[in-house]
């Protein structure tokens, strides 16, 4: 071998060649002579070598290119992680069992978006442009349109009064009007808060009507103030006035007969409709009687009393006791307590103060019970509300006001229920027998109003806060199927709680046992589009609720089995325009629910003569195989329950005592 000249060894080319001949794997530590036999070679010989990139031996990038190189490599690594995660989710999605999706059975088309819906008896009331329309629940045929307004209707209530219906639409100006729907005739009663001076116009925020329609309450807001107006409804007088009508005799204020203008285009359904509802605006009905006006409780401030005797003298017949209004705490004590609090939590209080939100009210009409006992001289008919329960946002108290009063009487609460934390949500059952109060600390209290005692206190899991409460009609699981017993047991309820984190919980309370709470649907972490936005009970199906998710899907959930039975969806290309606030209504007596679907806006100019863009879809549970069997066998007779000893608590008290004596 010839020696290499020194000039070649010192040249850059020779140096580059030498570097490129460096081994890729370099052994760590000192080199040793290997054993002549392979048996003596170490098995972990590969771990003694480290990988060295030849490019790193050739170049060392200067700054800032070295930093750019690291960022690019990091970007590629994270992109690859995202790709792998999406592939995993896609594979998991394909492996998931998708529920059966059922289409609607009827469709009502509109060329302007319907804003709200309500169902009462066999009729559907849909609020939209310039008024509301009346539809038949069974065939989706339009019966009448009332379109006398200059603005749209944004919300509508319909309350069953027996064979009649009380309708209360609210327009964009916040004006609420009462209509009486009786014997296929529509009667206008009164606009509750309509005024001639628009600068003094108040807005109706919320309303409630008692079971049976004897009382109504309207939460009004205006001029920076908010209050609750309570009315007595003369429904007996309305029946007499409808049977023996009296025409209005005021010539200055003549009611204009509305024209039957359609809110939606003349589709095939509308061409076959029967206009069998008439508006009788010339018949005068009795007006509701205003009985009291309730304002939010005053903030607790320092006392002006000089002695405790003056405090007790202020309270007449113990009315308002527990509300915190009449006390013997001075201003200096409040200031001292506030100073101590601000000093302890100064780091949390620093920053901009949020704008104070006006206090809102939630109110319920309560039937006579052990809790809502009235004076002996006051006699309230059975099944007629006698007390209004109300709580205000940010306050710890639940106030009880008697409904047997006049506007001249002093408005003081007859009872006060204080709680350890502000009341966030409350819900009264459809039978008015149970009341659930949820506080801001996540504690729920279940009251049996008929017996006059709390039957359970449960706490939601840590970090969960109540958003809404849904009562379920009491049901049993008999032979693997949910059924309604003919004789409903007392002091046993089942309700579903939707939390602010989109998780769903099941609460079961019995008077003889400790209440239980379990998770129905966990908070969706990997699938945010599955977050539940609204839940409603289907009273015609035992143990079933409808869930509306953020992604626009509608599922029928069996709470006993904790599984989805089926799904419902409008036909393509319709979808839910605002899935987190779906427009829907579920019938309480019939196996129907209605859902508004919106067609995606198409590019290009459109006009009112084009095809309708919005529809209301009718879903009938009897038309779907997976639900039909549940409806067919949803009620179990008392005789079958007596033969099955697995449910002794649903038997009458006499039968339970007889079975107990026979065992002994």
């Amino acid at each position: 071998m010839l020696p290499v000249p020194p000039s070649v060894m010192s040249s850059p080319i020779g140096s580059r060649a030498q570097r490129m001949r460096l081994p890729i794997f370099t052994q760590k530590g000192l080199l040793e002579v290997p054993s002549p036999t392979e048996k003596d070679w170490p098995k972990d010989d590969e771990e003694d070598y480290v990988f060295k990139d030849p490019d790193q031996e050739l170049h060392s990038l200067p700054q800032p290119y070295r930093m750019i190189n690291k960022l690019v490599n990091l970007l590629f690594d994270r992109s690859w992680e995202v790709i792998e995660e999406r592939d995993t989710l896609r594979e998991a999605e394909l492996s998931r069992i998708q529920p059966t999706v059922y289409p609607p059975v009827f469709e009502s088309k509109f060329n302007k978006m319907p804003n709200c819906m309500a169902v009462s008896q066999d009729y559907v009331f849909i609020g939209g442009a310039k008024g509301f329309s009346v539809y038949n629940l069974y065939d989706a045929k339009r019966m009448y349109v009332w379109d006398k307004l200059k603005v749209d209707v944004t919300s509508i209530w319909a309350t069953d009064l027996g064979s009649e219906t009380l309708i209360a639409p609210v327009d964009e100006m916040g004006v609420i009007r009462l209509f009486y729907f009786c014997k296929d005739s529509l009667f206008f009663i009164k606009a509750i808060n309509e005024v001639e001076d628009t600068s003094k116009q108040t807005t109706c925020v919320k309303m409630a009507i008692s079971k049976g329609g004897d009382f109504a309450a309207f939460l009004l807001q205006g001029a920076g103030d908010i209050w609750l107006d309570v009315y007595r409804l003369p429904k007996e007088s309305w029946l007499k006035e409808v049977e023996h009508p009296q025409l209005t005799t005021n010539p200055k204020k003549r009611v204009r007969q509305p024209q039957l203008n359609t809110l939606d285009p003349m589709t095939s359904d509308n061409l076959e409709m029967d206009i069998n509802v008439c508006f009788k605006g010339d018949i005068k009905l009795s007006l509701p009687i205003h009985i009291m006006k309730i304002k939010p409780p005053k903030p607790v401030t320092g006392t002006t009393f000089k002695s405790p005797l003056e405090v007790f003298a202020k309270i007449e017949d113990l009315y308002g006791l527990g509300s915190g209004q009449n006390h013997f705490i001075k201003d200096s004590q409040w200031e001292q307590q506030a100073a101590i609090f601000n000093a302890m939590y100064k780091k949390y209080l620093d920053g901009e103060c949020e704008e104070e939100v006006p206090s809102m009210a939630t109110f319920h009409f309560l039937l006579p019970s052990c809790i809502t006992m009235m004076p002996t001289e006051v006699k309230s008919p059975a099944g007629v509300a006698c007390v209004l329960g109300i709580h205000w946002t940010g306050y710890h108290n639940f106030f009880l006001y008697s409904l047997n009063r006049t506007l001249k009487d002093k408005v003081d609460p007859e009872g006060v229920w204080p709680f350890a934390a502000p009341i966030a949500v409350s819900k009264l059952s459809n039978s008015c027998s149970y009341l659930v109060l949820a506080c801001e600390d996540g504690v729920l209290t279940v009251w049996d109003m008929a017996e006059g005692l709390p039957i359970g206190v449960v706490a939601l899991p840590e970090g969960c806060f109540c958003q809404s409460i849904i009562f379920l009609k009491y049901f049993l699981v008999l032979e693997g199927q949910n059924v309604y017993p003919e004789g409903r047991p007392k002091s046993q309820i089942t309700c579903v709680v939707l939390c602010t984190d989109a998780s769903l919980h099941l609460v079961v309370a019995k008077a003889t046992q400790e209440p239980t709470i379990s998770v129905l649907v966990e908070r969706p972490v990997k699938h945010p589009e599955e977050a539940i936005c609204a839940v409603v009970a289907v009273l015609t199906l035992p143990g079933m609720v409808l869930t509306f998710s953020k992604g626009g899907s509608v599922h029928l959930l069996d709470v006993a089995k904790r599984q989805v039975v089926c799904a419902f969806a409008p036909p393509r290309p319709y979808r839910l325009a605002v899935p987190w606030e779906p427009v829907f209504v579920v019938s309480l007596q019939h196996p129907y629910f209605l859902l508004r679907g919106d067609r995606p806006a198409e590019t290009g100019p459109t006009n009112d003569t084009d095809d309708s863009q919005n529809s209301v879809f009718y879903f009938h549970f009897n038309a779907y195989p997976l639900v039909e069997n549940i409806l067919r066998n949803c009620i179990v007779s008392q005789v079958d329950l007596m033969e099955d000893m697995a449910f002794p608590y649903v038997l009458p008290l006499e039968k339970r005592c007889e079975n107990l004596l026979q065992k002994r």
Side-chain angles (χ1 to χ4, degrees):
M1 182 176 178
L2 296 175
V4 180
S7 59
V8 175
M9 294 181 62
S10 62
S11 65
I13 299 176
S15 176
R16 187 181 301 114
Q18 286 183 352
R19 292 177 182 176
M20 293 184 65
R21 286 194 297 269
L22 287 175
I24 295 178
F25 289 92
T26 305
Q27 189 176 14
K28 296 183 291 185
L30 298 175
L31 295 176
E32 297 180 358
V33 178
S35 175
T37 60
E38 295 184 2
K39 296 181 180 180
D40 298 332
W41 291 358
K43 295 182 180 180
D44 55 347
D45 186 55
E46 296 180 356
E47 298 180 358
D48 294 337
Y49 293 87
V50 295
F51 176 76
K52 289 187 177 181
D53 190 354
D55 294 337
Q56 296 293 337
E57 294 293 333
L58 291 174
H59 305 288
S60 178
L61 294 174
Q63 293 289 7
Y65 303 106
R66 190 162 62 248
M67 178 61 68
I68 295 174
N69 185 41
K70 291 183 178 179
L71 292 177
V72 172
N73 292 333
L74 180 62
L75 178 62
F76 277 109
D77 293 340
R78 291 186 177 180
S79 301
W80 186 252
E81 292 177 359
V82 171
I83 293 172
E84 290 181 340
E85 182 179 359
R86 289 184 178 180
D87 289 340
T88 304
L89 292 177
R90 188 180 295 107
E91 293 178 359
E93 187 70 22
L94 294 176
S95 62
R96 293 172 60 188
I97 300 176
Q98 299 296 333
T100 304
V101 181
Y102 289 120
V105 293
F106 296 118
E107 176 183 1
S108 294
K109 294 184 178 181
F110 299 82
N111 60 0
K112 290 190 178 180
M113 180 181 296
N115 299 320
C116 50
M117 296 181 289
V119 174
S120 178
Q121 301 182 27
D122 302 334
Y123 304 99
V124 179
F125 306 94
I126 300 178
K130 305 299 190 288
F132 64 93
S133 52
V134 184
Y135 283 76
N136 189 301
L137 178 63
Y138 301 108
D139 54 12
K141 299 295 178 59
R142 189 178 57 200
M143 304 173 62
Y144 183 72
V145 175
W146 189 87
D147 58 351
K148 294 181 59 178
L149 300 178
K150 297 181 180 179
V151 292
D152 295 348
V153 171
T154 57
S155 59
I156 189 169
W157 285 270
T159 303
D160 188 2
L161 303 182
S163 58
E164 303 81 29
T165 303
L166 183 65
I167 310 168
V170 181
D171 61 22
E172 290 180 332
M173 301 299 294
V175 178
I176 184 168
R177 296 172 175 84
L178 297 182
F179 292 85
Y180 189 63
F181 187 65
C182 176
K183 299 178 181 179
D184 293 337
S185 298
L186 187 65
F187 303 87
F188 175 71
I189 301 175
K190 182 185 179 182
I192 297 296
N193 58 331
E194 187 177 21
V195 294
E196 295 182 358
D197 188 359
T198 56
S199 61
K200 299 180 181 180
Q201 180 64 57
T202 59
T203 303
C204 180
V205 181
K206 191 184 299 184
M207 69 162 292
I209 300 176
S210 65
K211 185 178 182 180
D214 296 280
F215 297 92
F218 307 96
L219 185 63
L220 304 179
Q221 184 178 9
D225 197 6
I226 190 169
W227 66 92
L228 187 68
D229 279 341
V230 185
Y231 291 83
R232 181 181 287 109
L233 303 178
K235 63 176 187 177
E236 291 81 8
S237 301
W238 291 342
L239 272 177
K240 296 178 181 179
E241 292 164 357
V242 168
E243 294 177 356
H244 307 284
Q246 296 179 359
L247 300 181
T248 56
T249 58
N250 187 0
K252 296 182 179 180
K253 188 176 181 180
R254 300 180 62 183
V255 179
R256 181 178 62 88
Q257 289 287 348
Q259 300 177 359
L260 295 181
N261 296 332
T262 59
L263 289 178
D264 46 349
M266 299 301 292
T267 62
S268 58
D269 291 341
N270 297 331
L271 290 174
E272 300 174 0
M273 68 180 179
D274 297 326
I275 303 296
N276 53 2
V277 174
C278 59
F279 177 72
K280 298 184 178 181
D282 55 349
I283 297 179
K284 184 178 181 180
L285 299 183
S286 299
L287 300 180
I289 304 171
H290 190 201
I291 59 176
M292 62 178 165
K293 180 179 181 180
I294 304 174
K295 292 186 176 182
K298 298 178 181 178
V300 180
T301 57
T303 183
T304 57
F305 302 117
K306 297 180 180 179
S307 66
L309 295 177
E310 294 184 10
V311 179
F312 287 101
K314 181 69 175 178
I315 303 176
E316 300 177 1
D317 299 330
L318 300 181
Y319 286 163
L321 185 64
S323 62
Q325 296 298 324
N326 298 318
H327 56 83
F328 197 59
I329 303 175
K330 299 181 180 180
D331 286 329
S332 58
Q333 294 174 301
W334 286 115
E335 294 174 358
Q336 183 179 5
Q337 185 68 25
I340 295 174
F341 180 83
N342 293 332
M344 292 178 61
Y345 301 99
K346 182 179 180 180
K347 61 179 181 179
Y348 302 104
L349 298 175
D350 291 340
E352 298 181 359
C353 297
E354 297 182 358
E355 184 179 355
E356 185 177 356
V357 180
S359 182
M360 302 296 292
T362 303
F363 39 94
H364 311 281
F365 288 98
L366 308 178
L367 299 178
S369 63
C370 299
I371 298 178
T372 58
M373 293 182 62
M374 292 293 103
T376 55
E377 63 273 8
V378 177
K379 294 183 179 180
S380 180
V384 177
C386 64
V387 169
L388 178 69
I390 179 174
H391 66 87
W392 301 83
T393 55
Y395 287 88
H396 297 242
N397 299 325
F398 186 76
F399 299 95
L400 302 176
Y401 293 87
S402 174
L403 295 173
N404 297 283
R405 67 173 78 224
T406 62
L407 189 59
K408 297 181 180 180
D409 297 335
K410 188 177 181 181
V411 182
D412 285 328
E414 277 72 17
V416 181
W417 297 355
F419 287 82
I423 304 173
V425 181
S426 62
K427 183 69 174 181
L428 184 67
S429 64
N430 294 325
S431 61
C432 301
S433 301
Y434 301 98
L435 176 68
V436 176
L437 297 171
C439 297
E440 293 182 359
D441 57 357
V443 177
L444 280 72
T445 305
V446 184
W447 287 85
D448 187 337
M449 305 301 294
E451 300 295 333
L453 50 88
I455 60 175
V457 178
V458 296
L460 294 172
E462 186 177 358
C464 296
F465 303 98
C466 180
Q467 179 179 345
S468 62
I469 302 171
I470 301 92
F471 274 98
L472 300 180
K473 188 177 177 181
Y474 187 79
F475 69 97
L476 304 171
V477 181
L478 184 62
E479 297 179 356
Q481 183 174 347
N482 302 342
V483 292
Y484 287 134
E486 284 185 346
R488 185 186 180 284
K490 294 182 178 180
S491 299
Q492 299 188 32
I493 70 160
T494 304
C495 60
V496 175
V497 179
L498 176 61
C499 296
T500 53
D501 63 349
S503 61
L504 210 60
H505 301 263
L506 180 66
V507 177
V508 179
K510 299 179 182 179
T512 57
Q513 301 178 8
E514 184 178 356
T516 60
I517 183 170
S518 56
V519 179
L520 283 177
V521 180
E522 296 182 352
R523 176 192 175 190
V525 179
K526 296 183 179 180
H527 303 276
E529 70 280 356
E530 295 182 358
I532 298 176
C533 303
V535 181
V536 62
V538 183
L539 298 183
T540 55
L541 296 174
M544 302 288 177
V545 294
L546 281 176
T547 62
F548 298 82
S549 64
K550 188 177 179 181
S553 58
V554 183
H555 291 158
L556 182 64
L557 177 65
D558 187 341
V559 300
K561 299 179 181 178
R562 289 173 171 79
Q563 65 182 14
V564 175
V565 177
C566 60
F568 306 96
R572 295 184 178 181
Y574 288 94
R575 58 180 176 81
L576 301 184
V578 188
W580 52 92
E581 291 183 359
V583 179
F584 67 94
V585 64
V586 180
S587 176
L588 300 180
Q589 298 88 9
H590 307 290
Y592 279 89
F593 88 92
L594 281 69
L595 179 66
R596 189 189 75 186
D598 306 301
R599 186 188 293 269
E602 299 178 358
T603 58
T606 59
N607 50 49
D608 294 340
T609 61
D610 292 341
D611 294 339
S612 57
Q613 298 294 316
N614 308 101
S615 296
V616 172
F617 297 98
Y618 293 66
F619 294 87
H620 190 356
F621 296 120
N622 275 334
Y624 310 123
L626 290 177
V627 189
E628 186 180 6
N629 186 39
I630 301 175
L631 278 168
R632 187 184 300 110
N633 306 312
C634 66
I635 297 178
V636 59
S637 64
Q638 198 75 17
V639 177
D640 295 337
L641 284 178
M642 289 181 181
E643 296 177 355
D644 194 334
M645 303 304 296
F647 308 99
Y649 49 84
V650 301
L651 301 178
L653 180 61
E654 296 79 5
K655 187 63 179 178
R656 279 184 280 175
C657 294
E658 182 182 348
N659 294 338
L660 182 62
L661 293 175
Q662 289 177 355
K663 289 181 180 179
R664 293 187 176 182

